[in-house]
Amino acid sequence: EVQLVESGGGLVQAGGSLRLSCATSGFNFDDYHIGWFRQAPGKGREGIACISGGDKNTVYVDSVKGRFTISKDSAKSTVYLQMNSLKSEDTAVYSCAADWPEESSCAPILRPRAVYWGQGTQVNVSS
């Protein structure tokens, strides 16, 4: 059974930091691209960062570039999202997802498009 389980969300003040984790099981972790997504109240789901299955290349959208860092630990089949300098507009439900790579870049997963999804974790940033 494929599982992606997010953790690490919570309430933080603007300017603070959080690290989200996405623990996976049930598929070959290093073969898949994995991305982080968020959905704010009243808005659609937005892909924000991804990491490639093979070469660990990363892609970020402009709104989080320089503040968020995606990484992975293959031994733990876990992907992380380090979020620094948080802003009130970062408030959202954050989810991770995995997709079989059609190309070397993970960017297409941010459309968003993925085959396996987690349930999400809430991040609230107070101003």
Side-chain angles (χ1 to χ4, degrees):
E1 179 187 8
V2 173
Q3 286 191 319
L4 294 90
V5 180
E6 303 91 341
S7 62
L11 175 63
V12 63
Q13 288 188 331
S17 298
L18 281 175
R19 189 177 82 154
L20 305 183
S21 299
C22 171
T24 76
S25 61
F27 61 97
N28 291 330
F29 179 77
D30 284 326
D31 289 341
Y32 281 71
H33 295 332
I34 296 181
W36 280 99
F37 306 79
R38 66 185 180 186
Q39 187 164 17
K43 296 188 177 181
R45 180 177 281 162
E46 174 191 23
I48 58 172
C50 65
I51 187 163
S52 298
D55 54 17
K56 298 185 181 181
N57 282 339
T58 57
V59 175
Y60 300 91
V61 296
D62 287 345
S63 59
V64 306
K65 199 174 295 182
R67 300 189 298 123
F68 292 8
T69 302
I70 188 171
S71 62
K72 67 178 184 178
D73 184 336
S74 295
K76 296 181 179 180
S77 297
T78 298
V79 175
Y80 303 97
L81 186 69
Q82 177 67 43
M83 307 187 295
N84 299 328
S85 303
L86 283 161
K87 306 174 182 179
S88 57
E89 52 262 45
D90 294 318
T91 293
V93 175
Y94 285 71
S95 304
C96 60
D99 199 29
W100 182 256
E102 294 186 353
E103 58 183 76
S104 60
S105 172
C106 65
I109 199 176
L110 298 181
R111 291 175 185 167
R113 187 200 74 187
V115 62
Y116 302 129
W117 288 89
Q119 291 299 309
T121 185
Q122 179 71 47
V123 171
N124 291 310
V125 183
S126 63
S127 57

